[in-house]
Amino acid sequence: MTKPVNYFHLHMISDATGETLLAAGRAAAAQYVHARAIEHVYPLIRTEKQIKKVLEGIDAEPGIVLYTIVDKRLAAMIDESCATLGVPCVSVLEPVLSIFQSYLGAPAGRRVGAQHVLNAEYFRRIDALNFTMEHDDGQLPLDIEEADVILIGISRTSKTPTSIYLANRGIKTANVPIVPGVPIADVIINAERPLIVGLIASAERISQVRQHRILGATPGFDTDHYLDRANIIEELSYARQICHRYNWPMIDVSRRSIEETAAAVLALRSQGR
């Protein structure tokens, strides 16, 4: 008998964008297969008035409260109010700051949104994102030598979303489709600077993803050929042959999330592949 799914409210309060909280909250919630979080995200909370409004929402729909508020006064308001309401409350950032303070021997600067300052690193990520968007799906290959990473693979191997994720990490990423009978451009084969990685998957996984892809297909699109399992196997075989021929590493994305695929690419980069 299937165990019923229980739903609970998860309140996440941040003085910045809330990305840190969202990642932490979802990572924890994912460990409970029979529980589903109803997410309430409150970004850019920086005043007492905003805190009071958030607390009203928590009172109306009690649940777990996570927060990343660096202002100690505002954080205390959340702690005290949650204790009064009888709901569990955790500062996700505070234990990490305590470890840093203990090791570095100095207190944190307590700057709101410090990770989002417009510094050189920020503009490096923007530059990488612009490059990646301009080099999506084999576009503008002539300056491909400027890429940090080139992802190759047949249709529906998550090349574009993985490229964008890497770009957000400051990695200039181009992606190039592999099509049987269409040779890889010489500028890619001869590229010396970029790490070239082949993305592959099982035929079952490709077929499943392509089933969703055809919903937006244009008139005249050869759906049968695109979804044919034998054709997909042939495409994957061709992709593997190319990677073996040029000694390019391959990553199987069948059971990987975009984040896991990107992490595997970064691991290959660190190994100097």
Side-chain angles (χ1 to χ4, degrees):
M1 182 177 178
T2 304
K3 188 175 180 179
V5 174
N6 294 316
Y7 291 87
F8 67 97
H9 294 282
L10 177 59
H11 298 271
M12 294 174 279
I13 313 167
S14 174
D15 52 20
T17 62
E19 295 172 17
T20 302
L21 270 181
L22 208 54
R26 287 178 176 175
Q31 302 301 314
Y32 298 88
V33 295
H34 297 297
R36 294 288 184 275
I38 300 172
E39 297 176 349
H40 306 266
V41 184
Y42 311 95
L44 303 174
I45 302 300
R46 299 175 180 177
T47 68
E48 286 190 20
K49 183 178 180 181
Q50 289 175 313
I51 292 287
K52 289 177 181 178
K53 187 171 182 61
V54 170
L55 291 170
E56 289 175 4
I58 295 172
D59 187 25
E61 297 177 305
I64 297 172
V65 177
L66 305 178
Y67 70 85
T68 50
I69 301 289
V70 297
D71 186 306
K72 288 188 173 183
R73 182 176 53 86
L74 297 180
M77 280 185 63
I78 297 174
D79 287 334
E80 292 167 7
S81 297
C82 285
T84 300
L85 294 173
V87 296
C89 173
V90 177
S91 168
V92 173
L93 196 58
E94 203 60 39
V96 180
L97 288 176
S98 295
I99 291 293
F100 272 66
Q101 179 173 329
S102 175
Y103 186 80
L104 298 175
R110 300 280 171 179
R111 292 182 297 139
V112 173
Q115 71 272 40
H116 299 296
V117 294
L118 303 182
N119 55 15
E121 173 63 22
Y122 175 83
F123 289 108
R124 186 172 73 89
R125 294 202 309 271
I126 296 300
D127 187 39
L129 187 56
N130 287 334
F131 180 92
T132 297
M133 297 303 291
E134 291 172 353
H135 293 76
D136 182 43
D137 203 30
Q139 297 182 80
L140 301 175
L142 295 180
D143 62 345
I144 208 75
E145 195 68 42
E146 295 180 21
D148 298 310
V149 171
I150 301 174
L151 301 179
I152 64 172
I154 69 171
S155 171
R156 304 296 111 187
T157 47
S158 302
K159 297 186 298 298
T160 294
T162 304
S163 297
I164 293 173
Y165 186 90
L166 287 168
N168 278 307
R169 297 286 296 273
I171 308 296
K172 290 184 178 180
T173 309
N175 74 82
V176 178
I178 292 180
V179 180
V182 178
I184 299 292
D186 288 340
V187 290
I188 296 172
I189 295 172
N190 298 325
E192 297 181 356
R193 180 178 181 274
L195 166 69
I196 302 177
V197 181
L199 302 185
I200 60 170
S202 67
E204 291 74 18
R205 175 60 178 165
I206 297 295
S207 177
Q208 180 185 36
V209 177
R210 287 185 178 183
Q211 287 283 351
H212 296 286
R213 169 67 175 80
I214 63 171
L215 295 177
T218 56
F221 183 76
D222 191 345
T223 300
D224 292 338
H225 182 76
Y226 189 64
L227 297 178
D228 182 70
R229 189 68 59 86
N231 179 63
I232 294 174
I233 291 172
E234 181 182 333
E235 290 181 56
L236 288 167
S237 176
Y238 181 65
R240 287 190 177 92
Q241 288 173 23
I242 288 175
C243 290
H244 286 308
R245 183 182 308 159
Y246 299 108
N247 196 31
W248 293 334
M250 289 178 284
I251 297 173
D252 190 328
V253 303
S254 301
R255 297 183 180 276
R256 293 179 191 262
S257 65
I258 299 303
E259 296 84 353
E260 290 171 327
T261 301
V265 172
L266 292 174
L268 287 171
R269 261 191 108 221
S270 68
Q271 295 165 14
R273 287 296 304 266

